[in-house]
C-alpha cells in the first residue's frame, strides 16, 4: 500500500516538500528513512501531526547533522540514546496552535533495545526497522511510511496497526511490554481517552498484572511525571483521570491516592470553568492548566503526602510551591465565597486577589452555589484588572507625605472604585481629598 495520496491530501505543500528533502538527503547517504509513530497514526486518521518522528536505518545523529545543515535547523544530540532532534524556527505553514510554535524533527536509528533489567532505560544497538517498531508502545503507534525517493509513501505495517485503528483499539505489541516500560500504562489511557478507543482485552489484563507488580519503583519518576502531565494536558483530562482510577494506576502517583467517585463532579466542573476562563481571559494568566487538574487529584492527600508526591516526581520549584500552598489558601476562599449572604465587589476582590488564577479556578470548581460562581466570574471579568489612576505623587500633592498612610489611602480609593462609587480620575482625587479632610477633623 502507498499513502502518497493521504500525505498530499493532509499536509501543507511546504511540509510535503520537506518530507521529500529528507528523503533526498537520506538517498545521498544511502540510508533508508521512515516516518513513524504518531505522525503515521494521525495521517491514517486524516489529521496532520506536525511532530515529525523519523527512523533511519543507520546513524541517526550523523543523519540529523546532515539534514540540519541542509534545512538550517539546530541539532540537539542525545548521545546516550543515539538519537537527534532538529529544532527549527517556526515555519510559516505551521499552525499557530501547534505545540508552542516550535517545529521539531526527532530522528532515531532503527535499533534493537536489549533491556538489562526490567524498567531500566534501553541500551542502544543498531538493527532493523522492524525491531525498532516492535519496541514501540502500541500497534497504532508502530506503523511506518518510507520517504526515500524510490518508494516515497510506501506504507509499512508489521503489526496490524491499521486494523487496530479501524477497530479503535489500543493494543501492545508483546506481553512483556508494560514490564519493559511501565509508563506505557499511562500512555494507554492517554490514547484511549483521546481517540475514544478501547484498550483491548489482553492489554487490559497486562495492565492489571503490571499494576499489581509495583514496577514503578524501578522506573525513573521523571518519566512518570512527564506522562502524567501529558495526560493532564489532554483535551479531556477528567475522563483520563477516571480511567486511571478504574485501572488502579493512581496508586503509582501516591499509594494513598484513591479518588472518590464524586470527584467527577469537580473535574467536570473544572473542565467547564477552564473553558469559560479561556474565552474571557484571552491572554489568560494560567500557563499550566494541567496543574489545576492535579490540584483536584491531590486534594484529599495530607500536606505530608503531597510533599511526598512533589519530592518523588521532582516537580519544578514554581509548580511545587503552588501545589503545596493551594489547599490552605483555597479552603477559606471556598467557604467564605459560598456562605456570605451579601458580598460587595471590594470584598470579593480582597478575598480572591491574593490567589493565583490556578487557585481561583480550583475554588470555582469547588463551589456549589450559583451565587458563589457568579461572584468569581465577576472577579475575573470586572475586578481583577481594576487599577487606580491616582499615583503616589497625586497624594503627595495633597500634602500627605509618603508612608504607611499612603497605602491606606490607596486601599480606600481602590475599594470605592471596585464598588463602583468612583469612576474617573477626577472622582478619585475628589474622594481622596474628602478622606484626607475627614481624617483631619
Ligand atoms: P502525541 O500525538 O501525543 O505526540 P505520539 O504517538 O506522537 O503522540 P510521543 O510521546 O510523541 O507520542 O512519542 C512518539 C512515538 O514514540 C510514539 O508514537 C511511539 O511510537 C513511541 N513511543 C513514545 N513513548 C514510548 C514508550 N514509552 N514506549 C514505546 N514507544 C514509545
Ligand atoms: Mg508526538
Amino acid at each position: 500500500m502507498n499513502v502518497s495520496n493521504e500525505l498530499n491530501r493532509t499536509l501543507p505543500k511546504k511540509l510535503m516538500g520537506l518530507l521529500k528533502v529528507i528523503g533526498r538527503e537520506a538517498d545521498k547517504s544511502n540510508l533508508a528513512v521512515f516516518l513513524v509513530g504518531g505522525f503515521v497514526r494521525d495521517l491514517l486518521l486524516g489529521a496532520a501531526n506536525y511532530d515529525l518522528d523519523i527512523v533511519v536505518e543507520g546513524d541517526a545523529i550523523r543523519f540529523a547533522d546532515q539534514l540540519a545543515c541542509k534545512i538550517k535547523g539546530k541539532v540537539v544530540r542525545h548521545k546516550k540514546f543515539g538519537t537527534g532532534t532538529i529544532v527549527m524556527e517556526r515555519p510559516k505553514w505551521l499552525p499557530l496552535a501547534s505545540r508552542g510554535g516550535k517545529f521539531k524533527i526527532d530522528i532515531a536509528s532503527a535499533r534493537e533495545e536489549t533491556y538489562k533489567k526490567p524498567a531500566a532505560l534501553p541500551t542502544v544497538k543498531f538493527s532493523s526497522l522492524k525491531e525498532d517498531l516492535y519496541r514501540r508502545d502500541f500497534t497504532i503507534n508502530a506503523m511506518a511510511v518510507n520517504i526515500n525517493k524510490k518508494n516515497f509513501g510506501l506504507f509499512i505495517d508489521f503489526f496490524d496497526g491499521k486494523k487496530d485503528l479501524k477497530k479503535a483499539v489500543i493494543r501492545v505489541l508483546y506481553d512483556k511490554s508494560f514490564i519493559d516500560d511501565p509508563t506505557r500504562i499511562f500512555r494507554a489511557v492517554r490514547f484511549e481517552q483521546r481517540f475514544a478507543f478501547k484498550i483491548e482485552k489482553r492489554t487490559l489484563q497486562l495492565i492489571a498484572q503490571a499494576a499489581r507488580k509495583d514496577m514503578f519503583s524501578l522506573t525513573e519518576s521523571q518519566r512518570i511525571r512527564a506522562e502524567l502531565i501529558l495526560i493532564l494536558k489532554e483535551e479531556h483530562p477528567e475522563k483520563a483521570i477516571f480511567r486511571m482510577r478504574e485501572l488502579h494506576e493512581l496508586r503509582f502517583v501516591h499509594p494513598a491516592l484513591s479518588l472518590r467517585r464524586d470527584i467527577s463532579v469537580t473535574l467536570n466542573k473544572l473542565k467547564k470553568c477552564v473553558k469559560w476562563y479561556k474565552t474571557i481571559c484571552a491572554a489568560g494568566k494560567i500557563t499550566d492548566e494541567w496543574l489545576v487538574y492535579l490540584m483536584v487529584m491531590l486534594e484529599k492527600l495530607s500536606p505530608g503526602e503531597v510533599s511526598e508526591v512533589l519530592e518523588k516526581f521532582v516537580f519544578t520549584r514554581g509548580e511545587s510551591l503552588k501545589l503545596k500552598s493551594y489547599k490552605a489558601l483555597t479552603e477559606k476562599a471556598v467557604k467564605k465565597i459560598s456562605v456570605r449572604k451579601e458580598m460587595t465587589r471590594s470584598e470579593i476582590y480582597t478575598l480572591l486577589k491574593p490567589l493565583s488564577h490556578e487557585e481561583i479556578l480550583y475554588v470555582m470548581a469547588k463551589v456549589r452555589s450559583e451565587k458563589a460562581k457568579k461572584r468569581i466570574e465577576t472577579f475575573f471579568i470586572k475586578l481583577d484588572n481594576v487599577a487606580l489612576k491616582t499615583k503616589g505623587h497625586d497624594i503627595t500633592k495633597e500634602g500627605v507625605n509618603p508612608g504607611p498612610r499612603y497605602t491606606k489611602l490607596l486601599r480606600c480609593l481602590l475599594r470605592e472604585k471596585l464598588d463602583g462609587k468612583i469612576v474617573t480620575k477626577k472622582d478619585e482625587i475628589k474622594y481622596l481629598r474628602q478622606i484626607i479632610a475627614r481624617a483631619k477633623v
Side-chain angles (χ1 to χ4, degrees):
M1 182 174 136
N2 190 295
V3 290
S4 295
N5 286 341
E6 283 79 353
L7 287 166
N8 269 319
R9 202 178 325 129
T10 319
L11 306 180
K13 273 212 170 63
K14 288 264 162 66
L15 180 53
M16 236 354 231
L18 178 63
L19 296 185
K20 287 187 175 151
V21 170
I22 298 172
R24 229 51 51 85
E25 283 305 307
D27 287 340
K28 280 186 202 163
S29 304
N30 243 335
L31 294 171
V33 63
F34 308 88
L35 287 163
V36 293
F39 182 95
V40 182
R41 176 199 67 220
D42 290 349
L43 178 76
L44 294 196
L45 290 171
N49 179 326
Y50 294 92
D51 282 336
L52 294 195
D53 226 330
I54 277 175
V55 166
V56 289
E57 286 192 332
D59 187 333
I61 294 184
R62 197 184 305 154
F63 183 64
D65 286 336
Q66 179 193 339
L67 182 60
C69 199
K70 174 81 183 173
I71 64 176
K72 300 188 178 56
K74 273 207 180 103
V75 184
V76 183
R77 299 178 189 85
H78 315 282
K79 290 229 170 84
K80 195 170 152 198
F81 302 102
T83 63
T85 302
I86 300 181
V87 187
M88 283 169 74
E89 284 300 311
R90 156 185 263 298
K92 285 205 184 70
W93 45 263
L94 189 70
L96 269 174
S98 174
R99 322 249 155 157
K102 277 255 157 64
F103 178 68
K104 67 181 182 59
I105 307 177
D106 283 316
I107 305 176
S109 300
R111 65 191 187 236
E112 185 183 70
E113 288 162 2
T114 45
Y115 292 85
K116 282 188 189 145
K117 57 176 186 208
L121 283 170
T123 42
V124 176
K125 200 172 110 192
F126 294 132
S127 181
S128 70
L129 173 72
K130 188 169 178 182
E131 278 298 328
D132 175 278
L133 295 173
Y134 187 64
R135 298 296 171 199
R136 289 177 182 261
D137 48 4
F138 309 110
T139 55
I140 60 164
N141 288 341
M143 300 174 281
V145 174
N146 184 271
I147 52 171
N148 289 92
K149 188 162 183 204
K150 194 166 151 228
N151 287 318
F152 190 89
L154 178 75
F155 177 62
I156 300 155
D157 184 13
F158 295 113
F159 311 107
D160 278 342
K162 191 167 176 236
K163 208 153 118 200
D164 283 344
L165 260 190
K166 276 233 172 74
K167 286 207 289 205
V169 296
I170 308 293
R171 183 199 309 271
V172 282
L173 289 124
Y174 57 99
D175 279 6
K176 252 174 81 251
S177 186
F178 294 119
I179 312 283
D180 284 345
D181 183 353
T183 61
R184 292 172 187 165
I185 71 172
F186 287 131
R187 294 177 62 84
V189 168
R190 178 151 69 91
F191 294 117
E192 182 195 52
Q193 297 302 311
R194 181 194 297 174
F195 299 120
F197 281 16
K198 273 274 156 254
I199 299 174
E200 167 274 335
K201 201 166 139 231
R202 174 74 185 146
T203 303
L204 267 182
Q205 283 171 358
L206 296 169
I207 289 181
Q209 271 174 27
R212 275 198 298 272
K213 273 201 181 125
D214 249 350
M215 287 304 300
F216 275 108
S217 46
L218 289 167
T219 319
E220 309 88 297
S221 304
Q222 267 109 317
R223 294 187 58 224
I224 306 178
R225 183 198 57 205
E227 287 297 337
L228 187 64
I229 293 175
L230 285 177
I231 283 185
L232 299 178
K233 281 185 174 174
E234 287 284 320
E235 180 79 21
H236 290 292
E238 76 288 359
K239 290 187 187 164
I241 293 170
F242 251 80
R243 188 63 166 142
M244 288 194 282
R245 175 182 180 271
E246 240 169 52
L247 300 178
H248 309 287
E249 295 182 1
L250 293 172
R251 64 193 196 90
F252 296 117
V253 180
H254 192 280
L257 192 63
S258 58
L259 305 178
R260 293 204 341 227
R261 263 223 83 79
D262 64 2
I263 203 174
S264 66
V265 179
T266 312
L267 287 172
N268 286 325
K269 272 176 74 184
L270 176 59
K271 169 101 193 157
K272 287 192 191 124
C273 294
V274 170
K275 201 167 157 201
W276 174 85
Y277 172 85
K278 280 173 150 173
T279 58
I280 59 114
C281 294
K285 283 186 192 159
I286 58 165
T287 44
D288 293 327
E289 231 174 279
W290 62 269
L291 209 57
V292 196
Y293 284 96
L294 193 57
M295 287 177 180
V296 176
M297 277 179 76
L298 302 182
E299 68 180 12
K300 289 284 189 297
L301 295 185
S302 70
E305 288 165 341
V306 172
S307 297
E308 281 167 22
V309 172
L310 298 178
E311 273 158 39
K312 178 169 160 203
F313 294 110
V314 209
F315 282 92
T316 68
R317 216 179 103 76
E319 289 159 4
S320 292
L321 283 175
K322 281 180 186 162
L323 288 166
K324 257 189 195 151
S325 64
Y326 80 98
K327 258 194 288 189
L329 291 171
T330 53
E331 222 162 80
K332 196 181 86 192
V334 172
K335 219 179 254 160
K336 264 200 171 167
I337 208 149
S338 303
V339 299
R340 291 276 298 272
K341 276 217 174 76
E342 299 295 330
M343 261 187 121
T344 61
R345 290 188 164 185
S346 56
E347 282 167 337
I348 298 172
Y349 181 93
T350 311
L351 184 67
L352 297 180
K353 191 67 183 174
L355 306 184
S356 68
H357 278 202
E358 282 97 341
E359 284 158 350
I360 301 175
L361 280 168
Y362 176 79
V363 173
M364 203 171 177
K366 294 295 289 180
V367 296
R368 293 286 181 253
S369 75
E370 193 55 28
K371 188 165 74 184
K373 193 169 145 246
K374 280 269 164 330
R375 285 171 175 166
I376 298 170
E377 286 176 4
T378 305
F379 174 81
F380 278 131
I381 299 171
K382 302 223 161 94
L383 309 180
D384 190 29
N385 292 322
V386 169
L388 286 174
K389 296 203 168 73
T390 305
K391 299 281 172 278
H393 62 87
D394 295 309
I395 304 180
T396 324
K397 258 198 236 158
E398 300 303 320
V400 179
N401 292 324
R405 204 166 157 220
Y406 251 62
T407 330
K408 228 170 157 184
L409 286 170
L410 285 169
R411 209 180 306 140
C412 274
L413 272 181
L414 183 63
R415 194 186 56 220
E416 294 298 296
K417 186 148 186 169
L418 288 163
D419 289 337
K421 292 182 186 144
I422 53 179
V423 180
T424 61
K425 174 147 188 191
K426 228 170 162 184
D427 295 342
E428 287 181 16
I429 300 291
K430 196 169 144 203
Y431 183 71
L432 180 68
R433 284 179 187 149
Q434 276 174 20
I435 44 179
I436 293 172
R438 218 183 293 151
K440 277 184 187 148
V441 177

